[in-house]
Amino acid sequence: MSVLEIKDITKSFDGLSVLKGISLTVDKGEVVAVIGPSGGGKSTLLRCATTLENVDGGSISIGGDVLVSTEKSGHPHYCDKATLQRIRSKFGLVFQNFNLFPHFSVRRNITEALIHVHKKDRIEADLICDKLLVKMGLEEKADAYPCNLSGGQQQRVSIARALATNPEIIFFDEPTSALDPELTQGVLKVIRELAAEHMTMVIVTHEMSFARDVADRIIFMDGGVIVEEGPAEQVINHPMNERTKEFLSGY
């Protein structure tokens, strides 16, 4: 069963084509890592899938709901507000720079959307929060503020926030790029545990060994197209495309 279906999406910025007909399907329980050079379109792909950018053409469906489709005229048609809200409840997004509310405590960062968007009562929201903080190894940090946390701890709070709504899929946009190597390991450990629990994930990453070990499938993007894709170990250890080989030779 497909959780995410992307078909032939295109996106340009100021006349520069960034996505050139990308198609991607992610099945339930699958972990897909997206690798490639900076400027290759990886983050734009995630932003289009998570409603942060509108596509110029193509179609996207999440959890069986159609986010956007393209009419015969060539114009993309986005879903109504009710469907959009339902789609947004089906995914979580973890940014590279955490995007926590600095004036909210850790607890409030995690429970705010549960209470005000998903209409959970505060007791239920707090229970969800407490379980996730234990899972993230942050049970002592519920009342702390982001400024009092390390970068790795902030990113684990961000992951907890993404998990709080029980999404069908989580998108990670270079979740360790803002962290030093020591803090990176704690975040990667959490993502590995989620993979072991068969959480459906799409991970944009520059951590090649992590991608090889955690992902079921790797997609290599460059120049706005998918250059190569396949089983993780095959793409990392035995790439077929010369551009993929050239990119991975630096790792």
Side-chain angles (χ1 to χ4, degrees), residues 11-19 44 47-48 53-54 56:
K11 178 66 179 178
S12 296
F13 293 102
D14 298 323
L16 177 66
S17 183
V18 178
L19 299 179
T44 301
R47 290 180 66 83
C48 289
E53 297 283 357
N54 286 348
D56 298 329

Side-chain angles (χ1 to χ4, degrees), residues 62 65-66 80-91:
I62 295 180
D65 282 317
V66 178
D80 57 56
K81 287 185 178 180
T83 305
L84 179 60
Q85 185 173 0
R86 189 165 65 243
I87 287 172
R88 284 176 171 163
S89 73
K90 293 183 178 183
F91 68 80

Side-chain angles (χ1 to χ4, degrees), residues 15-152:
L16 177 66
S17 183
V18 178
L19 299 179
K20 305 173 182 177
I22 297 288
S23 295
L24 168 65
T25 299
V26 180
D27 292 333
K28 182 176 176 59
E30 187 177 23
V31 179
V32 175
V34 185
I35 65 171
S38 297
K42 306 182 303 297
S43 290
T44 301
L45 173 64
L46 249 62
R47 290 180 66 83
C48 289
T50 56
T51 75
L52 296 176
E53 297 283 357
N54 286 348
V55 301
D56 298 329
S59 66
I60 301 173
S61 298
I62 295 180
D65 282 317
V66 178
L67 171 64
V68 58
S69 58
T70 297
E71 302 167 347
K72 290 182 179 179
S73 63
H75 296 292
H77 173 74
Y78 272 82
C79 61
D80 57 56
K81 287 185 178 180
T83 305
L84 179 60
Q85 185 173 0
R86 189 165 65 243
I87 287 172
R88 284 176 171 163
S89 73
K90 293 183 178 183
F91 68 80
L93 175 58
V94 177
F95 299 89
Q96 54 184 310
N97 291 317
F98 324 136
N99 281 41
L100 299 174
F101 295 108
H103 55 297
F104 285 0
S105 67
V106 166
R107 180 177 299 282
R108 191 171 174 190
N109 264 286
I110 294 171
T111 60
E112 188 75 1
L114 286 173
I115 294 168
H116 296 289
V117 178
H118 298 276
K119 307 305 179 185
K120 304 282 189 185
D121 64 52
R122 189 168 298 278
I123 293 174
E124 184 180 4
D126 282 342
L127 285 172
I128 292 170
C129 174
D130 290 341
K131 287 180 180 178
L132 286 169
L133 289 178
V134 170
K135 188 181 186 73
M136 297 296 136
L138 296 171
E139 56 266 40
E140 305 298 324
K141 300 295 184 180
D143 297 321
Y145 285 80
C147 64
N148 302 127
L149 303 178
S150 70

